[in-house]
Short mmCIF file of all heavy atoms in Angstrom, two decimals:
data_model
loop_
_atom_site.label_atom_id
_atom_site.label_comp_id
_atom_site.label_asym_id
_atom_site.label_seq_id
_atom_site.Cartn_x
_atom_site.Cartn_y
_atom_site.Cartn_z
N LEU S 13 14.41 5.79 -3.26
CA LEU S 13 13.01 5.83 -2.83
C LEU S 13 12.58 4.45 -2.31
O LEU S 13 12.59 3.47 -3.04
CB LEU S 13 12.13 6.25 -4.02
CG LEU S 13 10.68 6.56 -3.73
CD1 LEU S 13 10.55 7.74 -2.78
CD2 LEU S 13 9.93 6.84 -5.03
N ALA S 14 12.22 4.39 -1.04
CA ALA S 14 11.81 3.13 -0.41
C ALA S 14 10.30 2.91 -0.54
O ALA S 14 9.54 3.86 -0.74
CB ALA S 14 12.20 3.15 1.08
N LEU S 15 9.88 1.67 -0.42
CA LEU S 15 8.47 1.32 -0.49
C LEU S 15 7.67 2.11 0.54
O LEU S 15 6.59 2.63 0.25
CB LEU S 15 8.29 -0.19 -0.27
CG LEU S 15 6.85 -0.69 -0.20
CD1 LEU S 15 6.11 -0.42 -1.50
CD2 LEU S 15 6.82 -2.18 0.13
N ARG S 16 8.18 2.21 1.73
CA ARG S 16 7.49 2.94 2.80
C ARG S 16 7.23 4.39 2.39
O ARG S 16 6.16 4.93 2.62
CB ARG S 16 8.34 2.88 4.06
CG ARG S 16 7.80 3.68 5.21
CD ARG S 16 8.72 3.50 6.43
NE ARG S 16 8.29 4.34 7.49
CZ ARG S 16 8.92 5.45 7.85
NH1 ARG S 16 10.00 5.83 7.24
NH2 ARG S 16 8.45 6.18 8.84
N GLU S 17 8.21 5.03 1.74
CA GLU S 17 8.04 6.41 1.29
C GLU S 17 6.98 6.52 0.21
O GLU S 17 6.21 7.49 0.18
CB GLU S 17 9.38 6.97 0.80
CG GLU S 17 10.40 7.13 1.91
CD GLU S 17 11.80 7.41 1.40
OE1 GLU S 17 12.14 6.95 0.29
OE2 GLU S 17 12.54 8.09 2.11
N ARG S 18 6.92 5.52 -0.66
CA ARG S 18 5.87 5.55 -1.69
C ARG S 18 4.50 5.40 -1.05
O ARG S 18 3.54 6.07 -1.44
CB ARG S 18 6.10 4.44 -2.72
CG ARG S 18 7.30 4.71 -3.60
CD ARG S 18 7.43 3.68 -4.68
NE ARG S 18 6.47 3.94 -5.74
CZ ARG S 18 6.44 3.25 -6.87
NH1 ARG S 18 7.29 2.27 -7.08
NH2 ARG S 18 5.56 3.54 -7.81
N LEU S 19 4.40 4.53 -0.05
CA LEU S 19 3.12 4.37 0.64
C LEU S 19 2.74 5.64 1.39
O LEU S 19 1.57 6.04 1.41
CB LEU S 19 3.18 3.18 1.60
CG LEU S 19 3.25 1.81 0.94
CD1 LEU S 19 3.49 0.72 1.98
CD2 LEU S 19 1.98 1.51 0.14
N GLN S 20 3.72 6.32 1.99
CA GLN S 20 3.44 7.59 2.67
C GLN S 20 2.95 8.64 1.68
O GLN S 20 2.04 9.41 1.98
CB GLN S 20 4.68 8.10 3.40
CG GLN S 20 5.00 7.33 4.65
CD GLN S 20 6.31 7.75 5.28
OE1 GLN S 20 7.23 8.18 4.60
NE2 GLN S 20 6.40 7.62 6.59
N ALA S 21 3.54 8.65 0.48
CA ALA S 21 3.09 9.59 -0.55
C ALA S 21 1.65 9.27 -0.97
O ALA S 21 0.84 10.17 -1.17
CB ALA S 21 4.02 9.53 -1.76
N LEU S 22 1.33 7.99 -1.10
CA LEU S 22 -0.04 7.59 -1.42
C LEU S 22 -1.00 8.02 -0.32
O LEU S 22 -2.09 8.54 -0.59
CB LEU S 22 -0.14 6.08 -1.61
CG LEU S 22 0.41 5.51 -2.90
CD1 LEU S 22 0.49 4.00 -2.82
CD2 LEU S 22 -0.45 5.94 -4.07
N ARG S 23 -0.60 7.80 0.90
CA ARG S 23 -1.43 8.16 2.05
C ARG S 23 -1.66 9.67 2.10
O ARG S 23 -2.75 10.14 2.37
CB ARG S 23 -0.76 7.66 3.33
CG ARG S 23 -1.24 8.23 4.63
CD ARG S 23 -2.66 7.76 4.95
NE ARG S 23 -3.11 8.37 6.17
CZ ARG S 23 -3.89 9.46 6.23
NH1 ARG S 23 -4.28 10.06 5.15
NH2 ARG S 23 -4.28 9.93 7.39
N ALA S 24 -0.61 10.44 1.84
CA ALA S 24 -0.71 11.90 1.90
C ALA S 24 -1.49 12.47 0.72
O ALA S 24 -2.12 13.51 0.85
CB ALA S 24 0.68 12.51 1.95
N GLY S 25 -1.44 11.80 -0.41
CA GLY S 25 -2.02 12.35 -1.63
C GLY S 25 -3.51 12.23 -1.77
O GLY S 25 -4.19 13.17 -2.17
N SER S 26 -4.07 11.09 -1.43
CA SER S 26 -5.51 10.89 -1.68
C SER S 26 -5.98 9.64 -0.96
O SER S 26 -5.25 9.04 -0.19
CB SER S 26 -5.74 10.72 -3.18
OG SER S 26 -5.13 9.53 -3.64
N ASP S 27 -7.20 9.27 -1.24
CA ASP S 27 -7.75 8.02 -0.71
C ASP S 27 -7.44 6.88 -1.69
O ASP S 27 -8.33 6.29 -2.29
CB ASP S 27 -9.27 8.14 -0.51
CG ASP S 27 -9.62 9.08 0.63
OD1 ASP S 27 -8.75 9.30 1.49
OD2 ASP S 27 -10.75 9.58 0.65
N ALA S 28 -6.16 6.61 -1.84
CA ALA S 28 -5.73 5.60 -2.80
C ALA S 28 -6.09 4.21 -2.32
O ALA S 28 -5.85 3.86 -1.17
CB ALA S 28 -4.22 5.70 -3.01
N ARG S 29 -6.65 3.43 -3.20
CA ARG S 29 -6.93 2.03 -2.90
C ARG S 29 -5.69 1.21 -3.26
O ARG S 29 -5.15 1.35 -4.35
CB ARG S 29 -8.14 1.55 -3.70
CG ARG S 29 -8.47 0.12 -3.39
CD ARG S 29 -9.67 -0.37 -4.13
NE ARG S 29 -9.75 -1.81 -3.98
CZ ARG S 29 -10.83 -2.51 -4.19
NH1 ARG S 29 -11.93 -1.92 -4.57
NH2 ARG S 29 -10.83 -3.81 -4.03
N VAL S 30 -5.27 0.39 -2.31
CA VAL S 30 -4.07 -0.42 -2.49
C VAL S 30 -4.43 -1.88 -2.25
O VAL S 30 -5.14 -2.20 -1.30
CB VAL S 30 -2.97 0.01 -1.50
CG1 VAL S 30 -1.73 -0.83 -1.66
CG2 VAL S 30 -2.63 1.47 -1.66
N GLY S 31 -3.94 -2.76 -3.10
CA GLY S 31 -4.08 -4.19 -2.90
C GLY S 31 -2.73 -4.76 -2.50
O GLY S 31 -1.75 -4.58 -3.22
N PHE S 32 -2.68 -5.39 -1.35
CA PHE S 32 -1.44 -6.02 -0.88
C PHE S 32 -1.55 -7.51 -1.13
O PHE S 32 -2.41 -8.17 -0.55
CB PHE S 32 -1.24 -5.80 0.63
CG PHE S 32 -0.92 -4.39 1.01
CD1 PHE S 32 -1.92 -3.52 1.41
CD2 PHE S 32 0.39 -3.93 1.00
CE1 PHE S 32 -1.62 -2.23 1.79
CE2 PHE S 32 0.69 -2.63 1.38
CZ PHE S 32 -0.32 -1.78 1.77
N GLU S 33 -0.70 -8.05 -2.00
CA GLU S 33 -0.62 -9.50 -2.14
C GLU S 33 0.50 -9.93 -1.20
O GLU S 33 1.63 -9.45 -1.28
CB GLU S 33 -0.29 -9.94 -3.56
CG GLU S 33 -0.24 -11.46 -3.67
CD GLU S 33 0.09 -11.94 -5.07
OE1 GLU S 33 0.07 -11.15 -6.01
OE2 GLU S 33 0.40 -13.14 -5.18
N LEU S 34 0.16 -10.84 -0.29
CA LEU S 34 1.11 -11.24 0.75
C LEU S 34 1.89 -12.47 0.32
O LEU S 34 1.57 -13.12 -0.67
CB LEU S 34 0.35 -11.46 2.05
CG LEU S 34 -0.41 -10.19 2.48
CD1 LEU S 34 -1.39 -10.49 3.58
CD2 LEU S 34 0.55 -9.11 2.88
N CYS S 35 2.93 -12.79 1.08
CA CYS S 35 3.84 -13.87 0.72
C CYS S 35 3.15 -15.23 0.61
O CYS S 35 3.65 -16.11 -0.07
CB CYS S 35 5.00 -13.93 1.69
SG CYS S 35 4.50 -14.06 3.41
N ASP S 36 1.98 -15.40 1.25
CA ASP S 36 1.27 -16.68 1.14
C ASP S 36 0.22 -16.66 0.02
O ASP S 36 -0.56 -17.60 -0.11
CB ASP S 36 0.61 -17.04 2.48
CG ASP S 36 -0.45 -16.05 2.91
OD1 ASP S 36 -0.64 -15.02 2.22
OD2 ASP S 36 -1.10 -16.29 3.95
N GLY S 37 0.17 -15.59 -0.78
CA GLY S 37 -0.75 -15.50 -1.89
C GLY S 37 -2.07 -14.82 -1.56
O GLY S 37 -2.86 -14.54 -2.45
N GLN S 38 -2.32 -14.54 -0.30
CA GLN S 38 -3.55 -13.87 0.10
C GLN S 38 -3.50 -12.40 -0.32
O GLN S 38 -2.44 -11.78 -0.30
CB GLN S 38 -3.69 -13.95 1.62
CG GLN S 38 -5.10 -14.17 2.07
CD GLN S 38 -5.15 -14.51 3.55
OE1 GLN S 38 -4.15 -14.57 4.25
NE2 GLN S 38 -6.35 -14.74 4.02
N VAL S 39 -4.65 -11.84 -0.72
CA VAL S 39 -4.72 -10.44 -1.14
C VAL S 39 -5.65 -9.70 -0.20
O VAL S 39 -6.76 -10.15 0.08
CB VAL S 39 -5.23 -10.31 -2.59
CG1 VAL S 39 -5.38 -8.85 -2.98
CG2 VAL S 39 -4.29 -11.02 -3.55
N VAL S 40 -5.16 -8.57 0.32
CA VAL S 40 -5.95 -7.70 1.19
C VAL S 40 -5.98 -6.33 0.53
O VAL S 40 -4.93 -5.77 0.21
CB VAL S 40 -5.32 -7.59 2.59
CG1 VAL S 40 -6.18 -6.75 3.50
CG2 VAL S 40 -5.09 -8.97 3.19
N ALA S 41 -7.18 -5.80 0.28
CA ALA S 41 -7.30 -4.51 -0.40
C ALA S 41 -8.02 -3.52 0.50
O ALA S 41 -8.90 -3.89 1.28
CB ALA S 41 -8.05 -4.68 -1.70
N GLY S 42 -7.64 -2.26 0.36
CA GLY S 42 -8.29 -1.23 1.15
C GLY S 42 -7.76 0.14 0.84
O GLY S 42 -6.92 0.33 -0.04
N VAL S 43 -8.27 1.11 1.59
CA VAL S 43 -7.83 2.49 1.48
C VAL S 43 -6.82 2.75 2.60
O VAL S 43 -7.13 2.51 3.77
CB VAL S 43 -9.02 3.46 1.59
CG1 VAL S 43 -8.55 4.91 1.58
CG2 VAL S 43 -10.02 3.20 0.46
#
C-alpha cells in the first residue's frame, strides 16, 4: 500500500482534513 493510494482512499471516502508537514518544517492543512 503506497502513500498515494492511502490519499486516494481518503479523497474517495470523505472530506478528510489532512495536515502535510513538509521537508522544511512548514505545515499546510486542508481538505
Side-chain angles (χ1 to χ4, degrees):
L13 190 62
L15 175 62
R16 176 178 175 254
E17 292 169 330
R18 289 186 78 175
L19 290 173
Q20 286 174 331
L22 285 169
R23 164 69 183 98
S26 65
D27 291 338
R29 181 178 169 162
V30 180
F32 290 95
E33 181 181 348
L34 302 168
C35 55
D36 63 356
Q38 218 169 1
V39 177
V40 183
V43 176

